[in-house]
Amino acid sequence: MFRLFKKSKPVKIRSYHESTKYGVAAKDLKELLKKGCSTLKLSFSGAHVCLYSDGTEVTEEFFQTLPDHTELVLLCRDQTWSGVVFDISQLLNTDRHANDLIEAAKGLLSDEQSPKRRKILTDLLLNMEDRSELESREEDENWFKGVDARFKTKSAYMKFNCESRIRGYMKDVENTTKTIQKPRVRANFLKASKRLAEMLKTARYNGCYFDRTEKKPDRLCTQEGWFTCQGSFDQDMCKSLHSINPYGSRESRIVFSTWNLDHRIEKKRTIIPALLEALENHKATDINLNYFYCQLFTRENLKLVHIVCHKKGAHNLLCDAKMIFGQASNQNKGSRKAEKRKRSLK
Ligand SMILES: [Zn+2]
Ligand SMILES: [Zn+2]
């Protein structure tokens, strides 16, 4: 009798596997199960319903208390739902549903008004439209848009990108020469700078750091091309867990240019002045140029950092005075080995 007067409650229902939600109106749980099963083409026997948000099982009594348009999941016998968190872990398992999810996210984005949700969706799309497994220009033309035609593979371009940055550091050393007044010191500095340039050329400008086809200790990224922020100069690691794969999309490639290969001991403020000072009173041959080379151009002193982890203020780190001169070269090797040992222990 009473049932006749009960109002239908509109809810949104989806299945375990499909994220599409359907609007269904039902007076009670039994009707909801019937309608839901027929809409989602699921077997009625054993079917049950729970809250999408946290997986709470919906009983007849509970159903009556639900607000209109509550999001529910219709489950088959033996299926359970642990709520949104489970949905996110499924979402991250993108290999299986990648294309469906990209389409779904695009659909949501097309009529999303909130800037915050737009940002979340575009970031999600950016990360899911990952074409990093493609390497050549023919395979992924879009990635190469705006990249000089001589680059045929992503790795070749990324290697060049790293080289250019490091060549820029060499330019800073070379430009210092012009600012030196005393001819003798200038000649000394020029000699040192030429020697550094030779060393750098031999190491092929350390372009290997960005090249995912290189061997493990030489590249800073994974085989797939993922780079992880190494944290600001005064931190052991990045607390924000920044990461990026510039091989994945054109946009990521461009955004990667805001990532910095940052000198822990600062190049212009500290290393170059220390080199200059040493050369004021010593011949270029007395200087431990290998030490300066490592500080200026190698990962011994360079950290790849997300722009947020790139602190612009003074680092207040000094060159190691014991390492500056040639006689320290044996000690140098020893302590570098120790440094390596320290690192491999991490
Ligand atoms: Zn970071
Ligand atoms: Zn910096």
Side-chain angles (χ1 to χ4, degrees):
M1 266 304 281
F2 184 63
R3 287 179 66 117
L4 289 173
F5 303 105
K6 232 189 267 171
K7 239 181 90 222
S8 277
K9 186 195 295 284
V11 293
K12 287 177 182 163
I13 195 148
R14 55 163 283 173
S15 69
Y16 182 91
H17 291 293
E18 301 285 331
S19 58
T20 316
K21 294 167 208 139
Y22 298 89
V24 172
K27 286 190 194 68
D28 52 35
L29 184 60
K30 205 168 158 197
E31 189 184 12
L32 174 68
L33 283 166
K34 238 183 233 166
K35 285 186 170 178
C37 286
S38 99
T39 306
L40 298 168
K41 299 188 178 57
L42 297 173
S43 158
F44 183 74
S45 122
H48 54 124
V49 172
C50 68
L51 291 185
Y52 169 73
S53 57
D54 65 4
T56 308
E57 192 76 27
V58 176
T59 61
E60 185 62 61
E61 212 182 345
F62 186 33
F63 179 76
Q64 300 304 333
T65 67
L66 293 177
D68 286 357
H69 310 296
T70 300
E71 290 187 24
L72 303 171
V73 187
L74 181 57
L75 299 167
C76 300
R77 190 191 301 282
D78 300 331
Q79 280 179 342
T80 56
W81 182 262
S82 6
V84 184
V85 176
F86 171 74
D87 212 15
I88 290 171
S89 76
Q90 268 216 331
L91 184 77
L92 290 173
N93 205 351
T94 44
D95 290 346
R96 262 175 48 219
H97 311 288
N99 290 329
D100 293 351
L101 285 167
I102 288 170
E103 285 318 306
K106 279 182 177 163
L108 286 173
L109 188 60
S110 67
D111 49 32
E112 182 57 68
Q113 295 301 316
S114 140
K116 182 179 170 182
R117 276 187 261 170
R118 275 188 178 171
K119 164 83 173 130
I120 292 170
L121 286 167
T122 45
D123 284 358
L124 182 69
L125 277 169
L126 176 61
N127 288 309
M128 283 200 312
E129 288 180 298
D130 174 7
R131 296 163 69 80
S132 61
E133 75 282 4
L134 308 178
E135 170 71 356
S136 72
R137 190 179 275 267
E138 290 85 70
E139 288 170 325
D140 194 357
E141 277 179 33
N142 188 55
W143 192 92
F144 287 87
K145 242 179 231 163
V147 170
D148 193 291
R150 78 192 137 116
F151 298 106
K152 306 292 184 225
T153 64
K154 293 180 181 178
S155 303
Y157 173 77
M158 290 303 297
K159 189 190 191 94
F160 168 79
N161 181 290
C162 186
E163 275 180 33
S164 315
R165 295 178 189 225
I166 291 179
R167 278 176 200 267
Y169 306 155
M170 188 61 227
K171 266 266 152 341
D172 287 334
V173 176
E174 285 164 357
N175 289 339
T176 306
T177 317
K178 300 170 203 150
T179 68
I180 304 170
Q181 302 297 324
K182 290 184 203 154
R184 187 188 50 81
V185 180
R186 196 190 310 131
N188 263 349
F189 194 90
L190 187 65
K191 212 180 275 173
S193 137
K194 279 189 172 153
R195 180 74 197 109
L196 286 172
E198 276 165 28
M199 291 163 85
L200 201 49
K201 201 176 163 193
T202 310
R204 297 164 72 197
Y205 301 91
N206 294 324
C208 56
Y209 292 165
F210 289 0
D211 180 354
R212 64 176 175 180
T213 66
E214 288 283 348
K215 292 186 302 296
K216 188 101 182 277
D218 295 336
R219 56 175 152 88
L220 288 171
C221 59
T222 67
Q223 223 168 353
E224 294 76 30
W226 281 100
F227 290 86
T228 307
C229 174
Q230 297 179 295
S232 58
F233 76 93
D234 52 356
Q235 237 135 37
D236 280 344
M237 55 175 288
C238 167
K239 295 208 167 63
S240 312
L241 306 176
H242 296 125
S243 61
I244 189 167
N245 188 344
Y247 289 85
S249 68
R250 177 172 175 268
E251 189 162 332
S252 302
R253 165 173 72 73
I254 294 167
V255 170
F256 186 67
S257 64
T258 64
W259 283 56
N260 208 281
L261 263 180
D262 194 32
H263 288 85
R264 283 183 62 255
I265 303 174
E266 294 159 284
K267 169 178 66 332
K268 281 191 179 170
R269 220 182 301 227
T270 311
I271 308 172
I272 295 177
L275 177 60
L276 186 54
E277 195 193 297
L279 285 164
E280 301 248 346
N281 311 306
H282 297 79
K283 288 183 292 191
T285 46
D286 291 341
I287 307 292
N288 178 10
L289 279 180
N290 192 49
Y291 173 70
F292 284 98
Y293 171 83
C294 289
Q295 304 310 306
L296 286 164
F297 309 119
T298 74
R299 56 192 298 184
E300 204 162 296
N301 187 44
L302 291 171
K303 269 187 141 186
L304 182 70
V305 289
H306 183 276
I307 190 160
V308 168
C309 290
H310 186 202
K311 294 189 185 164
K312 290 285 169 67
H315 294 187
N316 295 322
L317 293 172
L318 296 175
C319 286
D320 183 347
K322 293 194 298 293
M323 305 295 284
I324 290 177
F325 296 102
Q327 52 266 39
S329 66
N330 287 328
Q331 194 187 339
N332 174 16
K333 268 181 210 151
S335 82
R336 287 238 308 289
K337 259 184 210 156
E339 180 65 23
K340 259 188 195 162
R341 240 178 282 131
K342 246 194 283 167
R343 272 187 206 169
S344 62
L345 284 175
K346 274 183 193 166

